[in-house]
Amino acid sequence: MDISSTGEIHKDIFKDSNANKMWWEEKIKQATWYNRLGLWIALILYPLWSLLDYMLAPDELLYSFFYARCFCAFIMLLFALVHLKFKFHPDFLAYPVVLTISADIAYKTNVVPTAMITPYMIQYCTLFVCSAMLHIWRIKNSVFTVIYTVVVMIVLKELVGQHSYSELLSNGGLIIITVLIVYVGLIETRLALMKKAFVASYNMNLALEEVSNKNAIIEKKNLQIIDSINYGKRIQNAFLPNSKELVKAIGEHLIFYRPKNVVSGDFYWFAEKENKIFFAVADCTGHGVPGAFMSIIGASLLNQLVHESELEKPAQILDNLRKNVKKLLKQESNDVRDGMEIGLICFDTDTRELQYSGARISLWLVDSNGRVTEIEADRQAIGGLDHPNFEKYINHKFKPEQGSVIFMSSDGYPDQFNFDNKKIGRKKTKELCVEFSKLNPKEAQNELINHFDKWKGDYDQIDDILLAGIWLDQVRTS
């Protein structure tokens, strides 16, 4: 029930009873419309052809010719009116036109003088050409009409004819025979084209129905997937730090967190252990669902390493995190290269000392005078390919000045493009952090978000966004 590459329309659809029924209904509908149109046209125009009789026919025949035309018109009108009431088969709308007019013209052709045969033969041609253009019926009806026309012509020739067969043939008879043959072929061709159009339309409707059904299935599956992802977002959000606990530990802070999709490959993490506060910004491989899986793995391993071991130095935690990720993903024995970039700090609430270690996410330290110090992260990511000559992560320890602010960011903010195909850039991101560090955390966050949205405009967000800032003076004391 489809269309082949050569454009041939298969007709197997007619093995389907429903298709047969639809084709029958369509054929009846079209035949009724066209046959009725032909009937009313003939009903209106045929009496007007009396003008031809007036100009050509002998005076003694004028009245009989006029009455014959009126009789034909009456028969056609009778069928037209009866059809309005009883809606009979459309073939009976064509019969009165062809049969009555054909008999009328055959009679006139046989009784008019030889010189006047040709105009009436032209009427014959007109009748059958118009019938071929308008009427829709089966080939047996066309063949019957041709036989009927020939028989009527012969019978009337024998009964009232004044001309020989040679005179009739030479004055248009041969043309009539040609037109009759063409008439049969033309009606059958129109019916075949109509059938072909129906098959094409039927196949198209089947295809559209199939597409619609598949779209419904896809839409249902999409809704199921979206529901699953939304539920996954709830689970991922459960792994993110509780905002009240975070404020209680580090005070008002800045976190610009915006997933590219529903769930994110970026995550931030927080833990407290005695007088130590741990905070991390991480960017997992990919974004969306794959990144979200890695973020849950990362957050779970960090909780395990901090709460179930004696580790306190960020570098030691990252070394063990890398080891566990590679083990968990079996990266020593397969080609899975997923992992994460992370920046991790540990703040001592007693000594106010800060320790930091990073895997491709650096720390920006801004003092009260707006001077910025970048503590670069190691080039080795957590998991994935080993960086040449890498052994262990470096642990940085220092005591920030009073009024200092620290920032860490994934690559989502600096890598965002605008419609000029330009990135915000790492340098500009750092400059913005320095500039807005003079504001309170809420204002600084709003400014960073506004700058990002203005830069992006209507351009698509290309990655997950995570940028965090901590005003160290607001971190709690022991």
Side-chain angles (χ1 to χ4, degrees):
M1 288 186 280
D2 46 37
I3 302 176
S4 69
S5 58
T6 61
E8 179 185 358
I9 299 178
H10 298 291
K11 298 181 180 179
D12 294 345
I13 66 168
F14 294 108
K15 294 179 181 179
D16 180 1
S17 59
N18 183 55
N20 265 322
K21 180 182 177 182
M22 290 176 64
W23 163 240
W24 174 258
E25 292 174 350
E26 178 65 16
K27 185 167 66 172
I28 291 297
K29 176 183 175 183
Q30 295 288 336
T32 300
W33 195 90
Y34 280 106
N35 292 357
R36 184 167 54 199
L37 176 64
L39 176 62
W40 283 103
I41 290 175
L43 177 61
I44 294 170
L45 295 182
Y46 195 65
L48 295 178
W49 282 7
S50 297
L51 294 174
L52 181 66
D53 298 334
Y54 179 76
M55 291 184 289
L56 298 177
D59 292 341
E60 64 272 14
L61 296 175
L62 279 179
Y63 285 107
S64 63
F65 281 17
F66 178 73
Y67 293 146
R69 290 190 186 275
C70 290
F71 177 75
C72 292
F74 172 76
I75 296 297
M76 289 186 282
L77 178 62
L78 181 64
F79 272 81
L81 295 176
V82 171
H83 181 264
L84 291 176
K85 178 69 174 178
F86 296 104
K87 305 296 181 186
F88 45 72
H89 195 281
D91 286 356
F92 293 100
L93 292 172
Y95 275 132
V97 176
V98 177
L99 301 186
T100 59
I101 295 179
S102 178
D104 182 41
I105 297 175
Y107 165 72
K108 292 172 181 176
T109 302
N110 277 288
V111 299
V112 296
T114 304
M116 298 178 186
I117 293 176
T118 301
Y120 285 97
M121 288 293 186
I122 293 174
Q123 285 191 51
Y124 250 135
C125 293
T126 304
L127 167 66
F128 285 105
V129 168
C130 291
S131 176
M133 292 173 61
L134 288 174
H135 290 157
I136 294 176
W137 57 9
R138 292 162 291 184
I139 189 170
K140 66 179 184 180
N141 294 329
S142 302
V143 173
F144 169 76
T145 301
V146 171
I147 295 173
Y148 166 84
T149 301
V150 173
V151 169
V152 167
M153 178 64 77
I154 293 173
V155 169
L156 290 176
K157 191 269 176 194
E158 296 298 330
L159 293 177
V160 297
Q162 300 179 11
H163 316 293
S164 66
Y165 286 109
S166 61
E167 286 177 325
L168 291 173
L169 291 174
S170 62
N171 285 278
L174 290 175
I175 297 176
I176 290 298
I177 293 172
T178 304
V179 169
L180 288 174
I181 295 172
V182 173
Y183 162 78
V184 175
L186 188 56
I187 288 185
E188 186 62 17
T189 300
R190 286 182 62 236
L191 190 61
L193 289 174
M194 191 174 82
K195 190 172 186 178
K196 188 174 182 180
F198 169 80
V199 173
S201 175
Y202 186 84
N203 285 331
M204 179 63 72
N205 288 334
L206 283 181
L208 290 174
E209 183 179 354
E210 184 177 357
V211 170
S212 177
N213 291 337
K214 288 183 177 179
N215 284 342
I217 293 171
I218 292 171
E219 184 177 354
K220 183 178 179 180
K221 289 183 177 179
N222 282 342
L223 289 174
Q224 292 172 343
I225 292 170
I226 291 171
D227 288 343
S228 297
I229 293 174
N230 285 330
Y231 193 79
K233 180 181 180 180
R234 292 173 59 190
I235 295 174
Q236 186 181 39
N237 287 343
F239 276 84
L240 295 177
N242 180 280
S243 58
K244 291 183 179 179
E245 292 180 0
L246 200 54
V247 170
K248 185 177 178 181
I250 64 175
E252 293 298 326
H253 55 278
L254 180 161
I255 294 181
F256 178 20
Y257 174 69
R258 183 184 291 177
K260 179 182 185 297
N261 301 310
V262 179
V263 290
S264 175
D266 289 5
F267 73 96
Y268 56 99
W269 172 85
F270 155 78
E272 289 184 281
K273 188 177 181 181
E274 298 176 352
N275 62 327
K276 301 292 192 301
I277 294 176
F278 298 89
F279 185 83
V281 166
D283 181 357
C284 299
T285 304
H287 45 73
V289 174
F293 276 120
M294 283 302 304
S295 73
I296 292 174
I297 290 173
S300 300
L301 290 175
L302 285 170
N303 284 326
Q304 181 181 338
L305 290 169
V306 170
H307 294 295
E308 298 179 15
S309 71
E310 299 299 322
L311 298 176
E312 291 185 350
K313 292 182 178 181
Q316 294 176 335
I317 295 172
L318 293 190
D319 285 331
N320 282 272
L321 178 62
R322 177 169 174 262
K323 179 181 177 181
N324 287 339
V325 167
K326 291 175 74 69
K327 180 180 178 181
L328 186 64
L329 299 181
K330 299 181 177 63
Q331 293 185 340
E332 299 296 340
S333 59
N334 59 38
D335 59 354
V336 176
R337 295 294 177 258
D338 298 295
M340 68 189 74
E341 300 172 357
I342 187 170
L344 175 63
I345 67 164
C346 175
F347 189 76
D348 191 316
T349 57
D350 289 337
T351 64
R352 314 301 286 180
E353 288 182 334
L354 182 70
Q355 295 184 70
Y356 157 80
S357 185
R360 301 181 66 85
I361 291 183
S362 298
L363 177 76
W364 299 327
L365 174 65
V366 185
D367 65 20
S368 58
N369 295 316
R371 292 188 297 266
V372 60
T373 301
E374 180 172 350
I375 305 172
E376 292 190 1
D378 289 293
R379 300 290 296 168
Q380 176 63 53
I382 302 296
L385 296 172
D386 293 335
H387 196 273
N389 303 321
F390 175 80
E391 294 183 2
K392 291 185 177 182
Y393 291 102
I394 299 173
N395 198 72
H396 303 270
K397 185 177 181 180
F398 51 91
K399 189 171 184 179
E401 296 179 7
Q402 189 173 2
S404 295
V405 184
I406 59 171
F407 294 93
M408 291 186 289
S409 175
S410 69
D411 57 9
Y413 195 103
D415 284 351
Q416 179 61 46
F417 284 97
N418 63 8
F419 273 102
D420 293 328
N421 205 33
K422 293 180 180 179
K423 293 181 179 181
I424 295 176
R426 195 167 179 275
K427 180 181 177 182
K428 181 62 176 178
T429 304
K430 181 164 64 173
E431 290 173 356
L432 291 171
C433 289
V434 173
E435 179 184 351
F436 300 142
S437 66
K438 301 170 185 177
L439 306 175
N440 65 55
K442 186 174 182 181
E443 291 174 344
Q445 179 168 316
N446 289 335
E447 291 294 334
L448 282 166
I449 292 174
N450 290 337
H451 182 276
F452 179 86
D453 289 336
K454 185 176 180 181
W455 179 272
K456 181 176 76 70
D458 293 328
Y459 200 92
D460 289 337
Q461 182 178 325
I462 66 168
D463 201 357
D464 299 317
I465 306 297
L466 177 56
L467 192 156
I470 299 176
W471 277 247
L472 296 178
D473 283 354
Q474 296 198 30
V475 177
R476 69 168 176 81
T477 56
S478 298

